[in-house]
Amino acid sequence: MPKPPFIAVVGSANVDLTTFHDLFPRPGETVFGKKFDLGFGGKGANQAVAARLSGASVAMVAKVGSDLFGPATIRNFESQGIDASHVRIAEGVSSGVAPIFVDPNGQNRIIVVKGANDALSPEDVDAAAPLLLKADTIVMQFEIPLRTVYYTLRFAESKGIRSIVNPAPAQQADLEQLSSADYFIPNETEAELIARMPVHSLEDASKCANYLLRRGIKRVVLTLGERGCLLAGPEGTELIPAFKVAAVDTSGAGDAFIGSFAVFLSEGLPEKEALTRANLYAALSTTKVGTQKSFVNRADFEQEWQIHSTRL
Ligand code: RIB
């Protein structure tokens, strides 16, 4: 059995407060919701959990608040076998939280209050350097300060460590600073905002990905929800189609994709197979409610892969 890859996530951790409802209240109105779910989330933490369940050794570098949620978040990482020695408590700050509103079609609206995630600094990255140096791949998102993302990217490049940047949630960023990322993985709305061009059709997606390549990004994977993902590099663009499943909640599907892709790629699988597998891992997550709770473990994934990959 080959040694499992080591994935480090420098990113966010939130607590997700999800309500399921038929009606969204108007200003001044109170309505009854149907169901509530409390779970661990945050794009960084979700990606770390997806990587761990996919079979990697995983370390998380993050900041949590000095409230009820902070220590519980650390315990959640530890209980999953994720190295949380560099998940530190920021005194006097709340943990990151995400009220999530899911409508009857499974469509979600998320408001993130970053809290302690905003305190994750380049100094925290320096403190974690001995751990990060062991990583096959370092994964980052945009729920922490961008200067910390840029700093971590420079660190990864200088040490020859593969890096993946997921620019979520969408916000303007300095493309030059991101150009050392080995993989840049936005969804349609993130790509639209960063490249300042519409991404509706496949043709738009291809134009947008090529624009990002011209701006110095090495490889772009533009995720397209139920259409799959578009891989773009100097050799051209290629659509990797999605798998059809009965989706009930798409929250965290992008995180499932990125965490599992980091593992498949770091195991040495060919890029296209790694992306195809990540498409399936993400699709499976949409068949259950929640973010981290909806991710499957490697053994269950392999069973599904046996079934679905024969239909490719
Ligand atoms: O991508 C889903 C995640 O976005 C949720 O877990 C929420 O915390 C927000 O970060």
Side-chain angles (χ1 to χ4, degrees):
M1 192 70 179
K3 198 166 161 260
F6 181 35
I7 310 294
V9 178
V10 177
S12 58
N14 296 331
V15 167
D16 292 345
L17 305 112
T18 307
T19 55
F20 297 80
H21 58 88
D22 286 332
L23 287 171
F24 198 69
R26 289 169 299 182
E29 190 184 26
T30 303
V31 297
F32 287 118
K34 290 192 299 193
K35 205 169 69 174
F36 174 75
D37 185 74
L38 183 68
F40 294 102
K43 295 180 193 300
N46 294 347
Q47 292 169 21
V49 169
R52 178 72 187 135
L53 288 170
S54 298
S57 297
V58 178
M60 183 80 203
V61 178
K63 279 269 169 73
V64 293
S66 58
D67 51 16
L68 275 179
F69 294 149
T73 300
I74 294 175
R75 280 197 299 277
N76 176 52
F77 286 129
E78 289 169 346
S79 72
Q80 313 224 29
I82 292 173
D83 182 335
S85 56
H86 284 274
V87 180
R88 302 272 159 86
I89 292 182
E91 288 305 328
V93 185
S94 76
S95 289
V97 291
I100 303 180
F101 307 92
V102 182
D103 72 17
N105 302 318
Q107 191 59 252
N108 62 65
R109 292 178 172 88
I110 305 181
I111 299 173
V112 172
V113 181
K114 288 199 280 173
N117 294 305
D118 248 346
L120 192 70
S121 67
E123 290 71 37
D124 296 310
V125 176
D126 282 341
L131 187 62
L132 293 174
L133 276 174
K134 297 186 206 149
D136 295 295
T137 302
I138 301 180
V139 184
M140 288 146 272
Q141 323 71 31
F142 277 10
E143 262 177 354
I144 57 171
L146 288 185
R147 70 186 182 103
T148 307
V149 173
Y150 301 152
Y151 187 83
T152 311
L153 270 174
R154 286 197 293 276
F155 171 87
E157 187 184 32
S158 69
K159 305 297 179 197
I161 303 169
R162 181 191 290 118
S163 57
I164 295 178
V165 173
N166 168 222
Q171 55 198 287
Q172 294 289 346
D174 181 344
L175 284 176
E176 208 179 311
Q177 298 267 10
L178 296 170
S179 62
S180 67
D182 293 292
Y183 285 90
F184 187 66
I185 312 188
N187 67 13
E188 294 113 309
T189 47
E190 290 144 15
E192 276 186 348
L193 194 102
I194 289 164
R196 298 172 201 248
M197 55 174 74
V199 181
H200 302 305
S201 63
L202 262 185
E203 201 189 335
D204 293 342
S206 179
K207 273 190 197 149
C208 180
N210 279 302
Y211 166 79
L212 292 169
L213 294 178
R214 284 199 302 280
R215 292 291 309 273
I217 305 284
K218 291 184 201 154
R219 298 189 84 57
V220 178
V221 177
L222 213 163
T223 57
L224 300 165
E226 56 192 21
R227 285 179 291 181
C229 64
L230 188 82
L231 168 66
E235 72 289 352
T237 57
E238 181 173 355
L239 178 72
I240 318 281
F243 293 87
K244 288 212 181 340
V245 292
V248 292
D249 178 9
T250 57
S251 317
D255 301 328
F257 178 89
I258 287 160
S260 63
F261 173 62
V263 178
F264 298 136
L265 197 67
S266 304
E267 283 176 349
L269 290 177
E271 185 183 60
K272 228 179 100 179
E273 182 178 337
L275 288 169
T276 310
R277 282 172 165 258
N279 268 349
L280 178 61
Y281 193 88
L284 294 172
S285 79
T286 69
T287 63
K288 292 190 220 140
V289 164
T291 51
Q292 295 177 21
K293 293 177 188 171
S294 68
F295 302 164
V296 294
N297 65 29
R298 186 63 177 261
D300 291 346
F301 172 79
E302 290 300 334
Q303 276 186 9
E304 295 287 343
W305 177 250
Q306 288 307 318
I307 299 165
H308 288 83
S309 59
T310 54
R311 298 185 196 142
L312 288 171

